[in-house]
Structure formats: C-alpha cells, structure tokens
Amino acid sequence: MDELAMDELAIDGLREWQHALRAQFPIITGHPDLAYLDSAATAQKPQAVLDAVRTYLTTSNANAGRGTYPWANRTTALVEQTRDRVRRFLGDPDPERSAVHFTSGTTEGLRTVARDWLPGLLADGDEIVVPMADHQANIAPWLETRRELARQGVDVRVVPMPYQRASGDYDHTALADVVGPRTRFVAATHVHHVYGANMNVHRIRQAVGPEAVICLDAAQSVGHLPVSMTELDVDFVVFSGHKALALPGSGAVWARQTRGPAFTPGGWSGTPNTVGIASLTSALAWLDAAGTDRIERWTTALASRFTEGLRHLDAYEILGCQTSLAAGSPAQQRQGIVTFRHRDIGSGDLGFILFSHGFMVRSDHHCQGDAGEKSESVRVSLHVYNTAEEIDRLLAVLATLG
C-alpha cells in the first residue's frame, strides 16, 4: 500500500474523531467560509480553554504566592499543578529533579536559558552549536550571550549547526565531525517552522556525546505530536502556550537538571501570568484527551495530501526535502507544515489572493535565520481543526493560478 492510500485511510479512520474536535473551536465553526491555515504562528482555542479562563477570572483570580486567603491559595496551587501537568505532558522521567519555569513564550524562554543559565556553563575556549537556518528566536539569544561574555573577556566559539542542503534537515554525520571536547552546548529545533520536518533530535545526542547540554526549541512540536523526554535525551525544552491551544503570553521552560548548573532564572520573580497558566493547564489536558498521537496522524496526513497535490502543479516550488513529496516516499516527515513559492507570483501577492478565496496563510520570511531561505514564501500550517476538504479547495485554487 503506497503512502497516499495510507493517508486516505488515516483521514477516513479519524474523520468522526476530527469532526467532534473541530466542533469545539468557536472561531472555526463561527467562520465556515474561512480556512485558518496559520497554526504555526498561533493555534486557535477550544471551548474548554475559553471556559477555563472565564472560570478562573470569575471565581479565583488572585496573585500567586503572595496571600493566604482562599483565592490566592487556589491560584498558588494552580501554578504548582500546572508545573506538574507540564512534566507529565512531556513524559518527564524524573519529575522530582526537573524544573519548570513559566514564560511568555518560546522566545522569552530561550532568552532566559541564554541569559540566566548558559554563562554559568561556559569558560574561555568553550564552544556552542547554533542552528543558523532555524527560527531567529533560537539563534539571537545564543549570539547575544556570546557577545556579552566576550565583553567580560570570555571567548566562546560559535559552531554553526550543519544542514543537509537538499532536505533542510540537520546533517548529523557532519555534526559529529565538528564537535569536540570543548563543545558544551547545542541549540536545536524539534520541528522546523519552515520545512515542517522533524529534525531527528534523537540523533544529535549520538553525534555530540553524553556530556553536552542540548536545548530544544519545541514551539512547533508541543501540542502537535507526542513529545517524550524519556525518548529525547535533551536538557531543556522550551515551548509557547499559544501554539499549543493556550492563550498568548504563556509558555514554559522545562529543565532536566542533570548536566551543568541548576537552572534558576535570574532576578526577582514577579507576578506570573496566572490566567495564561490557567489556559495552559486546560489546553494540555484537552490535548491529552484528544491524543497528540492522533493529532499528529491527522495533520501529517493532510500535509501529505497537500504536497502530493502541489507537486503536480509545475508553477510551484515546495521548500524542504524533495524526496518526501511523492506519495510513496518513506521520507515523508512533514509535521503539518508545508511551505512553497509560485514561480511567477510574489509570495506576498499570493497570500492576498488566497485570502480573497477564504484561505488564511502566512506569506513572508517566517523569521528564519540568515543561513535559511533568501526569498519570501507561503506557509500552510495545520492543526486538528483543519479538514481534507480545505486542502482540496486550496489545491483547486492554486491550480487556477498555474
């Protein structure tokens, strides 16, 4: 059975499940003529999350850790319970040792690791690996820390993460050749925000050895597919709540606490985003009930359906691994993100054209680093509320522009 037939079976087998979940997103059901295809930028919120926010704000809204009355106590308990929820959601193998710190999202989380933790790991002559073709949020913080250390007389060498030119995946063989005894830290991405590829993070540990610290940008994986710290031997996982069905301004840093100094964010700990934390624990509970394994099967099947249709339209160039485009390819790795260009129509113009037909997509550089794509492109990113019918309608519109 080829990949296309398997995708059709996956879609057919999950249709009733997906239909019931899609009905739980008011903004989606309230706009039946629009197709929201920009979940890599931010995901929509199910009714359970909206209800949890309203319940929190109308029954126990208070500051955390700063009062002894019932509302304050319930809020303090909520924060601690959400830390435990994050640990369970990530499959934390040693929750008694790990730490969870809440942030406004992935960008702040990565900067917190870079600013407050990384300098304590590094000494003069050490090396760090930085993925220069990933999201800027996973590049700029490490370079900022290097510059700050240089001002203090500590010289840290930046080693660019090697990539496979044809696929956009990390080149794990080349990585093993460029790391050495002074490699202390590796920044990596779980699912690439442009190519949609699972970046095979499990191979990074094999390449860099048992001692180097690995920090994982999981903005495009948490909430989209199963993420297990038992299977991924990384030291930090950073993610955004708003991409995982929670409110904007929420997110977390999970720290394993087994390599390097203990992770302790610097400065005074002010008032946490308690309503964001309330939304996050509700979102993770919703995702657990829905099943991230089924969400992954659904979105990858839709992405495969889209690439299979798009690759037959000569006017379009699909970015990333070209051998993953054919329906029967064993290299199909696109995790609900497909990015492409029209060979004659500018990506900005194409985005406007698609919206005129009811499709909301992203069309720009996607915040990719300097080693990434030089030209703008259109990104279609999917979640559980998207349908095969939306993909088919999008392909039909794109075919008219060929």
Side-chain angles (χ1 to χ4, degrees), residues 10 36 52 93 112 155 173 179 225 256 263 283 289 324-325 375:
Y36 182 76
T112 299
D155 183 25
T173 301
V179 300
L225 67 154
R256 187 182 291 273
F263 173 64
S324 74
L325 301 182
S375 300

Side-chain angles (χ1 to χ4, degrees), residues 10-204:
I11 291 172
D12 288 342
L14 293 172
R15 279 188 188 275
E16 289 188 12
W17 166 85
Q18 189 272 341
H19 182 76
L21 295 185
R22 177 182 167 90
Q24 297 178 40
F25 290 83
I27 196 171
I28 298 296
T29 58
H31 298 85
D33 296 330
L34 296 176
Y36 182 76
L37 303 173
D38 196 20
S39 292
T42 197
Q44 300 303 336
K45 321 307 175 193
Q47 188 65 53
V49 171
L50 303 178
D51 290 344
V53 169
R54 180 179 178 85
T55 297
Y56 170 74
L57 289 175
T58 57
T59 63
S60 57
N61 180 38
N63 213 327
R66 290 167 171 81
T68 57
Y69 52 91
W71 291 2
N73 290 339
R74 287 201 294 269
T75 298
T76 300
L78 169 69
V79 172
E80 294 308 313
Q81 290 163 4
T82 306
R83 286 195 172 96
D84 290 338
R85 168 70 73 177
V86 169
R87 291 184 177 98
R88 292 196 304 274
F89 192 80
L90 296 179
D92 187 340
D94 192 2
E96 297 300 319
R97 176 179 292 185
S98 66
V100 174
H101 172 66
F102 294 113
T103 71
S104 64
T106 304
T107 299
E108 185 198 349
L110 293 170
R111 292 192 68 189
T112 299
V113 176
R115 180 187 63 236
D116 297 340
W117 181 86
L118 186 58
L121 178 74
L122 300 175
D124 192 63
D126 283 344
E127 300 175 348
I128 62 174
V129 178
V130 178
M132 298 296 192
D134 291 6
H135 197 286
Q136 286 283 1
N138 202 18
I139 302 172
W142 319 119
L143 302 184
E144 291 169 2
T145 294
R146 178 186 181 274
R147 288 192 293 269
E148 180 58 31
L149 288 172
R151 285 191 284 267
Q152 301 171 26
V154 178
D155 183 25
V156 173
R157 177 172 174 252
V158 171
V159 177
M161 174 73 79
Y163 292 83
Q164 298 177 21
R165 185 177 300 275
S167 69
D169 192 7
Y170 297 143
D171 189 332
H172 302 90
T173 301
L175 177 61
D177 293 334
V178 299
V179 300
R182 299 301 299 272
T183 303
R184 300 285 181 256
F185 179 86
V186 179
T189 299
H190 197 183
V191 171
H192 200 279
H193 72 293
V194 175
Y195 306 124
N198 185 319
M199 302 298 279
N200 293 302
V201 174
H202 63 283
R203 296 180 186 168
I204 292 178

